[in-house]
Amino acid sequence: MFGDYSISDLGAILAMQGFAGLILFSVYVLMALGLAIIFGQMGVINMAHGEFMILGAYVTWMTSNAVQHVAPSLFPGYFFIAMILAFIAAGALGMLVEWALIRHLYKRPLDTLLATWGLSLILQQAYRSIFGAREVGVELPEWMMGSWQATDAIQIPINGMFVMALTILITIVVFYILFWSSWGKQVRAVVQNRVMAGAVGINTEKVDRYTFGLGCGIAGIAGSAFTMIGSTGPTAGQLYIVDTFLVVVFGGAASLFGTIASAFSISQTQSTLEFFLSGSMAKVITLLTIVGILMVRPQGLFALKVRK
């Protein structure tokens, strides 16, 4: 016996906690992938990344309401439409922000931090003015409701499995774009040596704009996934931005493999500790562990060598 639990009950609870950690891991990966692409490509510290995520969540909420009123027969599949629209909306706003603001601040990371922090406040107020201060929730299609009975004691939420499948698909697509497409080769060339990439004819400004848009678009998809596990409000993105930066820094800036490994480690550690401790204590211990590891290995789990 372990307290009031038998060994079998404890195993079932830990298994369900582990799956809850996988859902948190999925949101972290979707958020951190976009942030890692932006930070690794341009060295931009995007403090407004959470607001791009919330834009995707609001787009999903609006799509849900619109489909219910205009075309109820399409409601079972509205989420796929919402994800595409969330990617387009967040990506388009990201490209606009890069053109209007970020491109003037390259090689000035502290300035980008302050500028994007100000942008996050502006976007929060814009969401509050447009959508109201109250949190809103998305109604899920019936096929996403309920849970799958894995064993007699273990139930796995169907929407959680959907989020995980979505994360795997998006990760595969991102890796294909960055490592096997011709545009991805240009992105990696700019990361490795921006001056030489420009010298051989690569339009580095265009690469930067599309890269920033891609990172923000992925955050928009993360916002769609977020609607399944939490309520959407003007400041909801701030709840995840610190954790997302921890994931990127701990994994190693510009390393997508490190981002995934870091997200898995942090989410599973935090979810498991929450069973034994309070949520706040679990987060504190996780943070202290990360800080301790970074003191020994400041470059993160995986470091990418970049030529200046």
Side-chain angles (χ1 to χ4, degrees), residues 247-253 255 258 293-294 296-304:
V247 168
V248 173
V249 173
F250 184 51
S255 172
I293 295 174
L294 288 176
V296 178
R297 188 177 173 83
Q299 70 270 34
L301 297 177
F302 297 85
L304 181 67

Coordinates of all heavy atoms in Angstrom, one line a residue, residues 247-253 255 258 293-294 296-304:
V247 N 11.3 26.2 -22.0 CA 11.5 25.0 -22.9 C 12.6 25.3 -23.9 O 13.4 24.5 -24.2 CB 10.1 24.7 -23.5 CG1 10.3 23.7 -24.7 CG2 9.2 24.1 -22.5
V248 N 12.5 26.5 -24.6 CA 13.4 26.8 -25.6 C 14.8 27.0 -25.1 O 15.8 26.4 -25.7 CB 13.0 28.2 -26.3 CG1 14.0 28.6 -27.3 CG2 11.6 28.0 -27.0
V249 N 15.0 27.7 -24.0 CA 16.4 27.9 -23.4 C 17.0 26.6 -22.9 O 18.1 26.3 -23.1 CB 16.3 29.0 -22.3 CG1 17.7 29.1 -21.6 CG2 15.9 30.3 -22.9
F250 N 16.1 25.8 -22.2 CA 16.6 24.5 -21.7 C 17.0 23.6 -22.8 O 18.0 22.8 -22.7 CB 15.5 23.9 -20.8 CG 16.0 22.7 -20.0 CD1 17.1 22.6 -19.3 CD2 15.2 21.6 -20.1 CE1 17.5 21.5 -18.7 CE2 15.5 20.4 -19.4 CZ 16.7 20.3 -18.7
G251 N 16.2 23.6 -23.9 CA 16.5 22.7 -24.9 C 17.7 23.1 -25.8 O 18.4 22.3 -26.4
G252 N 18.0 24.4 -25.8 CA 19.1 24.9 -26.6 C 18.5 25.7 -27.7 O 17.7 25.2 -28.5
A253 N 18.9 27.0 -27.7 CA 18.3 27.9 -28.7 C 18.6 27.4 -30.1 O 19.7 27.0 -30.4 CB 18.9 29.3 -28.5
S255 N 17.6 24.8 -31.6 CA 17.6 23.3 -31.8 C 16.2 22.8 -31.6 O 15.6 22.8 -30.5 CB 18.5 22.7 -30.7 OG 18.4 21.3 -30.7
G258 N 16.2 19.7 -29.4 CA 16.3 20.1 -28.0 C 15.0 20.6 -27.5 O 14.6 20.4 -26.3
I293 N 20.5 22.9 -13.8 CA 21.1 22.3 -15.0 C 21.8 23.3 -15.9 O 22.9 23.1 -16.5 CB 20.1 21.4 -15.8 CG1 19.7 20.2 -14.9 CG2 20.7 20.9 -17.1 CD1 18.5 19.4 -15.5
L294 N 21.1 24.5 -16.1 CA 21.6 25.5 -17.0 C 22.8 26.2 -16.4 O 23.7 26.7 -17.1 CB 20.5 26.6 -17.2 CG 19.3 26.2 -18.1 CD1 18.3 27.3 -18.1 CD2 19.8 25.9 -19.5
V296 N 25.2 24.5 -15.0 CA 26.2 23.6 -15.4 C 26.4 23.6 -16.9 O 27.5 23.5 -17.4 CB 25.9 22.1 -14.9 CG1 27.0 21.1 -15.3 CG2 25.8 22.1 -13.4
R297 N 25.3 23.6 -17.6 CA 25.3 23.6 -19.1 C 24.5 24.8 -19.6 O 23.3 24.6 -20.0 CB 24.7 22.2 -19.6 CG 24.9 22.0 -21.1 CD 24.4 20.6 -21.5 NE 24.4 20.5 -22.9 CZ 25.4 20.1 -23.6 NH1 26.6 19.9 -23.0 NH2 25.3 20.0 -24.9
P298 N 25.0 26.0 -19.7 CA 24.3 27.1 -20.1 C 23.8 27.1 -21.5 O 22.9 27.9 -21.8 CB 25.3 28.3 -19.8 CG 26.6 27.7 -19.8 CD 26.4 26.3 -19.3
Q299 N 24.4 26.3 -22.4 CA 24.0 26.3 -23.8 C 22.7 25.5 -24.0 O 22.2 25.4 -25.1 CB 25.1 25.8 -24.7 CG 25.4 24.3 -24.5 CD 26.5 24.1 -23.4 OE1 26.6 24.8 -22.5 NE2 27.4 23.1 -23.7
G300 N 22.2 24.8 -22.9 CA 21.1 24.0 -23.0 C 21.4 22.5 -23.4 O 22.6 22.1 -23.5
L301 N 20.4 21.7 -23.5 CA 20.6 20.3 -23.8 C 21.3 20.1 -25.1 O 22.2 19.2 -25.3 CB 19.2 19.6 -23.8 CG 18.4 19.6 -22.5 CD1 17.1 18.9 -22.7 CD2 19.2 18.9 -21.4
F302 N 20.8 20.8 -26.2 CA 21.4 20.7 -27.5 C 21.8 22.0 -28.0 O 21.0 23.0 -28.0 CB 20.4 20.1 -28.5 CG 20.0 18.7 -28.2 CD1 19.0 18.4 -27.3 CD2 20.6 17.6 -28.7 CE1 18.5 17.2 -26.9 CE2 20.2 16.3 -28.4 CZ 19.2 16.1 -27.5
A303 N 23.1 22.2 -28.3 CA 23.6 23.5 -28.8 C 23.9 23.4 -30.3 O 24.4 22.5 -30.8 CB 24.9 23.9 -28.0
L304 N 23.5 24.5 -31.0 CA 23.7 24.6 -32.4 C 24.9 25.5 -32.7 O 24.9 26.7 -32.2 CB 22.5 25.1 -33.2 CG 22.6 25.2 -34.7 CD1 22.7 23.8 -35.3 CD2 21.4 25.9 -35.2

